Amino acid sequence: PFWYLPLRAQLGEALITANNNVEAEAVFQKGLTEYQRNPRMLKGLYQSLKNQNKDWDAFWVESQLRKAK
């Protein structure tokens, strides 16, 4: 079957892989305006925040991720 994968999520993951976490954060935040509580978007945002040592923000996103599952 065909499964739709948001392009923003793929772009964000590529940016994290390229160690461009600031841009990845922006991509995931924009994606969450379209797909609220999307676990894949939240997980990417969490990872980009952790990589930037934004621990408090990452903690908040992690709590939202738990609620979304």
Side-chain angles (χ1 to χ4, degrees), residues 41-57:
M41 295 284 188
L42 287 168
K43 183 178 179 186
L45 179 58
Y46 170 79
Q47 188 62 51
S48 68
L49 291 169
K50 286 296 279 186
N51 290 348
Q52 296 175 70
N53 296 317
K54 294 183 177 180
D55 294 328
W56 179 249
D57 294 331

Side-chain angles (χ1 to χ4, degrees), residues 1-2 5-6 10 12 15 17-18 25 27 38 40 48 50 54-55 63 67 69:
F2 174 77
L5 233 77
Q10 293 175 334
L15 289 167
T17 301
E25 178 185 353
V27 166
N38 179 298
R40 188 174 181 150
S48 68
K50 286 296 279 186
K54 294 183 177 180
D55 294 328
S63 72
K67 291 177 187 177
K69 289 185 177 182

Side-chain angles (χ1 to χ4, degrees), residues 1 5 13 18-19 22 24 33 35 40 43 57-58 60-61 67:
L5 233 77
E13 290 171 11
N19 203 28
V22 174
T33 63
Y35 306 102
R40 188 174 181 150
K43 183 178 179 186
D57 294 331
W60 185 85
V61 171
K67 291 177 187 177

